[in-house]
Structures are given as structure tokens and as C-alpha cells.
Amino acid sequence: MTPQLLQAIKLLQLSHLDLAAYVEAELERNPLLERAEPEAPAAQEAAGTADEPRGGEEFDGGDGESWSAPELDPGRGEIETDLDTRLDNVFPEETPVRVSEGESGDMLSLTPAPYGSTGGSFDAEAPDFEATLTAEVTLREHLASQLDLATRDPIERLIGGFLIDAVDDAGYLRETVEAVAERLAADPATVARMLALVQTFDPPGVAARDLAECLAIQLREKDRFDPAMEALVSRLDLVAKRDFAALRRLCGVNDEDLVDMLAEIRRLDPKPGRAFGSSAVEVLVPDVFVRAAPDGSWLVELNGEALPRVLVNQSYYARVSRNARADGDKAFLSEALQNANWLTRSLEQRARTILKVATEIVRQQDGFFAHGVAHLRPLNLKTVAEAIGMHESTVSRVTSNKAIGTSRGTLEMKYFFTAAIPGAAGAAAHSSEAVRHRIRQLVDGETAENVLSDDALVQKLRDEGVDIARRTVAKYRESLRIPSSIERRRERSAQAGHAQARAAVLA
């Protein structure tokens, strides 16, 4: 494939953060590119808004999509049609192109040989000290700094450092004391003593070997690890099963005390290390916004903040090219101009393609935007691709790493593509996401006297026109982290008993 084809495909599937980093790198190494000044709001709205009427053709459902889509392999002509451009190779034939790949095979960079330098800085070899100033403290660094203050003995520091290295990102020690002692040829008692020391470090609960020990460490710090709480922590399996009658007998407490103890357990942190050593949580930024128009239609507009804008400095090119004498300088300037023109064109086409796909998604999922998730329709890539005259692979790339901002929150584009659940007695198909939502509603409406089993949920859904199997209901219920009917019945009975006890006390 030509370098232009590779670049067009790459830009289409990048998220806005990756795209910003890519454009930033191009700005650094191409002297003919410069950032465009932000447009006025009115100009942005005129350039990036599409108005589509509500409604659409009925869709009879489809299977879920594989978002890696290895089988989607369009030809060059189909991609040229989708991107509305010819992808001829404008690079000189003798110019080699370097393509580097990551471990997963994803393309990481695509640069012509003349642009292979480290960037526009004359001291590119110098270390980036600013990056070290903003680096977050990892869990290991946080624990190691406390170890330095806790002991001066070199052997204890060695053992403590080894234990800290064995703590995972969640804060748990994944090696046994015996294994550590054997590996270091140390006394197991010394290793156990150092483990007890590390377990006193911040954050509370760190270096525990299982959940029960993690909770026990935190409760000891709060001075709440009494015999009743110790018995409760020792049988977390009963807590998971919501077997409150057995827990009351085991702990020797009444309903009200048990509810308070369980509430205290829930306030503890089961993963004390998650605040350290992990990548920062990225806020989902919408690539397009959807809002209701006064006439009842939907307005789909691009998010200008997520679109990098670059311009080609033609005047600078004309001025420099007049003074270029060497053939190498002229070739460099010519190629830089070609790259700059292609990048600006690719960015513009990427924006138009995203808007086109998003507009069709909004048209297909009109019921969701108007009435909520219960009206989400089955949708697959092929339906959208056929409606807008593109290849499925193009739609797949557009919807990867992209989000839509709606009045119901910011959602990934992939959220709107769901498998179809057949309708009962020839009724229209239902979206799997809408069926999950309905299961959640039915469970939330339960009472202590009327807890629905999976079979009862199947019957209620079939009464509403959803032809679904019991195993599918069980799978959806588990994906929503809804306990079984037996566990829900125990929990609701305990809650009802607790409410009656409180009412009696107040009376």
C-alpha cells in the first residue's frame, strides 16, 4: 500500500488523544506546518453540523460485531471511495518509508526517511527533565520510601524490598513467605516479621495475601477488629452468598448489628494499591455532540476541541524555496509540502467521515436518544455501511476509540452496536442492551415477598415480546453483577427485618 493509504487508514482509527500526539509530532518535524487559530463559534457550527430527521427503516437485527475485524479487508478502490480521494504515491519512488510496529502488530509510526530525525530541537539528545517533574509516584516507590524510614538494617531492607517488589498493582502480595525465604535463603521468621512491618505501611491493607487479610489489616487500624468482626471476615464466602442467618449465628449478633458490620466492611478498600502505579484515568471526550433541534430532529456536530487544526504555510515555503540551491534542500522542501498538504486533507476527510457515520448511528438509534436505553435497537456495522455507502472496515475504524456526547451521557460509538434478541410471535427484534436494561428494571422492582427467579424473568420478558432463553437471562444477569434469586431473597429479607427493628425502636 502507498504511504498515503497507510496514513489515511491510521488517522481514521486514532482516538483524539492519539491524533493530537501524531499531529504534534508532525508539527515538530515539518517546518511548513503550523497550528491554525481557533475559529469563531459560528464558523465552527456552520462547518461541523449536520441535521438528520428522526426515524428510519426497520431493522430486523444482526449478530454482534468483532471490533478487531480481521476479516474486513477492503481493496484500495473501496478505501478511495470511502475517503473520497485518490491514494496515489506522491513520495519519490527512491524515498524509503519506515514503518515500525508494536508487539500487537499495530502501526505505531509512519515516517519518510528524510523525516527520521528526533525532531526540531537542536539538543534532542538532552534528557527531558520536565517529564520527571510531573511523574506520578508508583506504589513501589511509595512503599520503598517508608521502608527507608522504618529500618536501617541492610538485611531487613533487602527482604523488605523483595516483598515490596512482589506486591501487585492492586496491593496484594502474590508470593508466600516460604517462597520468599527460600529464594533469599533467609529465615522464614525474619521474612514474616518484615512482612508484618510492610503491612503497617500506607495505604492500609497493602501487602495482604488475600482479601480477608486485607480487610483485617484495615479494621485493626481502625480498632474495629473485635471477635465478631473477625468471625465475619473469616467467612466472606457466606457474605458473598448473603447467608445472613448463618452469619448471625457465627458472629453472635442480631440483625441490626450484622447490617452495621456489613456496612463497615463495604466502606473498606478491597484494592488498596489501585491509587498507585497505574495509568491515569482518561476522561471520555466526545468526538461528536448530539442535541435535539426545535423541529424535533437531531443535530449532530463535531467537537471542535477534539479536532486538531493545522495549516500549510505557503508563504514560508515560497520564501525558503527561492533561496534553496542544493538539490537535497529542494527535495526536502518539496516532500515537506506534499506531506503537509496530505495531512491537512486527511484530517479534513477524517472529520467528515466521522460526522457521516455518527449521523447514521443517530438516525438508526433515534429511539434511544428520544426515549432511553429501553428503545435501543439492534445494529451492526453492515447496516451502517450500506446506508452511507462505505465499506464495513471503514465504519469499524471510525467507530473505534470514538465517543458521542448525548443528553444521556458520553458513550462510545461501539455502545450503539448491539446483537439482536428475537421477538416473540414474530415481533420485532430487541437490542441485547435494551434487554439487559429491562432485566435490571425488573430486579430493582422486586420486594422481599416477590423475588424473581431466572425462569420468572424469562416468562416476564416473553410476555413483553422478547424470545429469550433462560441461560441468556442468567448470562445477562451475571454481566450486570446481579446475585441469584436465592441471594437476593436473603438480602431483601434481612433489609426488611432491619427496617422493622428500626421502626420498633423509633416507636
Side-chain angles (χ1 to χ4, degrees), residues 1-15:
M1 290 192 291
T2 66
Q4 282 72 29
L5 177 56
L6 291 171
Q7 185 189 61
I9 293 174
K10 177 182 178 180
L11 293 183
L12 199 59
Q13 61 192 7
L14 290 180
S15 67

Side-chain angles (χ1 to χ4, degrees), residues 121-133:
S121 173
F122 289 103
D123 55 350
E125 298 297 329
D128 187 359
F129 293 107
E130 293 183 359
T132 63
L133 295 178

Side-chain angles (χ1 to χ4, degrees), residues 219-279:
L219 289 167
R220 287 194 187 97
E221 182 172 330
K222 296 176 178 290
D223 196 22
R224 282 289 296 117
F225 198 61
D226 53 30
M229 190 65 81
E230 183 177 4
L232 177 64
V233 171
S234 67
R235 294 303 305 271
L236 293 178
D237 57 323
L238 296 178
V239 176
K241 294 177 181 178
R242 291 171 170 77
D243 192 347
F244 301 119
L247 288 173
R248 285 195 304 270
R249 292 192 300 270
L250 179 67
C251 300
V253 296
N254 56 27
D255 286 340
E256 186 173 0
D257 289 338
L258 179 61
V259 170
D260 291 339
M261 292 167 64
L262 291 173
E264 189 165 3
I265 289 291
R266 293 190 186 98
R267 288 194 293 269
L268 302 177
D269 189 353
K271 295 181 179 180
R274 59 184 171 182
F276 301 88
S278 58
S279 57

Side-chain angles (χ1 to χ4, degrees), residues 52-233:
E52 284 291 322
R54 289 164 54 174
E57 300 176 356
E58 289 298 324
F59 174 62
D60 59 359
D63 297 329
E65 300 297 336
S66 173
W67 291 99
S68 59
E71 73 282 357
L72 300 181
D73 187 16
R76 168 176 168 170
E78 292 171 315
I79 295 179
E80 288 179 339
T81 302
D82 291 347
L83 300 182
D84 190 25
T85 185
R86 272 188 65 79
L87 300 172
D88 293 327
N89 189 357
V90 298
F91 290 127
E93 291 298 327
E94 66 275 9
T95 302
V97 176
R98 294 195 295 272
V99 180
S100 61
E101 296 185 356
E103 296 179 358
S104 63
D106 296 333
M107 184 167 57
L108 300 180
S109 64
L110 171 65
T111 59
Y115 287 68
S117 61
T118 56
S121 173
F122 289 103
D123 55 350
E125 298 297 329
D128 187 359
F129 293 107
E130 293 183 359
T132 63
L133 295 178
T134 58
E136 293 186 4
V137 177
T138 65
L139 177 61
R140 185 190 179 285
E141 293 170 343
H142 184 63
L143 296 176
S145 64
Q146 298 175 73
L147 179 64
D148 291 340
L149 298 175
T151 179
R152 293 181 178 272
D153 185 278
I155 297 179
E156 291 183 346
R157 285 194 176 191
L158 175 63
I159 297 174
F162 194 93
L163 291 169
I164 289 172
D165 288 338
V167 173
D168 64 12
D169 289 343
Y172 286 87
L173 180 68
R174 295 308 181 188
E175 291 201 41
T176 64
V177 170
E178 293 74 16
V180 174
E182 181 179 358
R183 188 173 303 181
L184 296 178
D187 181 16
T190 304
V191 176
R193 178 167 53 82
M194 288 307 302
L195 175 58
L197 175 64
V198 174
Q199 288 179 343
T200 63
F201 292 171
D202 179 77
V206 73
R209 286 158 289 188
D210 53 39
L211 178 59
E213 186 176 27
C214 177
L215 300 179
I217 293 171
Q218 297 179 59
L219 289 167
R220 287 194 187 97
E221 182 172 330
K222 296 176 178 290
D223 196 22
R224 282 289 296 117
F225 198 61
D226 53 30
M229 190 65 81
E230 183 177 4
L232 177 64
V233 171

Side-chain angles (χ1 to χ4, degrees), residues 14-18 280-289 303 305-306 368 398-406 408-416:
L14 290 180
S15 67
H16 78 280
L17 291 177
D18 294 333
V281 177
E282 296 180 358
V283 178
L284 190 61
V285 177
D287 294 87
V288 294
F289 291 109
N303 179 10
E305 299 296 328
F368 167 83
V398 170
T399 52
S400 296
N401 307 312
K402 310 295 188 306
I404 298 180
T406 74
R408 305 183 188 281
T410 301
L411 304 169
E412 293 187 33
M413 284 191 182
K414 292 187 293 185
Y415 172 83
F416 297 97

Side-chain angles (χ1 to χ4, degrees), residues 310-326:
V310 294
L311 296 175
V312 182
N313 194 332
Q314 298 283 359
S315 60
Y316 179 71
Y317 169 75
R319 185 169 66 253
V320 174
S321 61
R322 284 196 301 267
N323 299 324
R325 297 291 183 266

